[in-house]
Amino acid sequence: ALVQNQKNDEATKLLATLDPTSLKGADLTSYHMAAFELSLNQRQFVEARRHSEKIELQHLFSTERQWLEKARKDLPIPAPEPKKG
């Protein structure tokens, strides 16, 4: 709810108290879904993409899956990494 109400600072603090390695299934998907949306709100698109890849669709409602698909399509394409050497 904090993320959906644009209370990003509070949501960041709350997510930081969670250990995603201790979560499984729907709980882990909920964590990554919240972190994905928070990253979008903060325009941290690389981080958003990272969380998006960890969301298990079978744990989402149909409307959540539709929203996620659209949000993924709307993510900016990351700039290529500069060549080294």
Side-chain angles (χ1 to χ4, degrees), residues 26-77:
D27 291 332
L28 185 58
T29 289
S30 293
Y31 170 86
H32 285 296
M33 189 74 158
F36 172 70
E37 192 170 349
L38 178 62
S39 297
L40 285 180
N41 290 349
Q42 297 174 330
R43 303 185 61 76
Q44 296 174 348
F45 300 122
V46 172
E47 190 71 6
R49 190 175 306 280
R50 186 179 71 79
H51 285 291
S52 167
E53 293 167 355
K54 295 180 180 182
I55 295 170
E56 296 181 20
L57 298 178
Q58 72 266 24
H59 298 297
L60 300 179
F61 293 111
S62 177
T63 54
E64 291 172 317
R65 277 195 297 275
Q66 291 170 359
W67 178 88
L68 179 62
E69 287 174 15
K70 181 180 181 331
R72 284 175 169 167
K73 287 178 186 175
D74 292 344
L75 275 174
I77 297 170

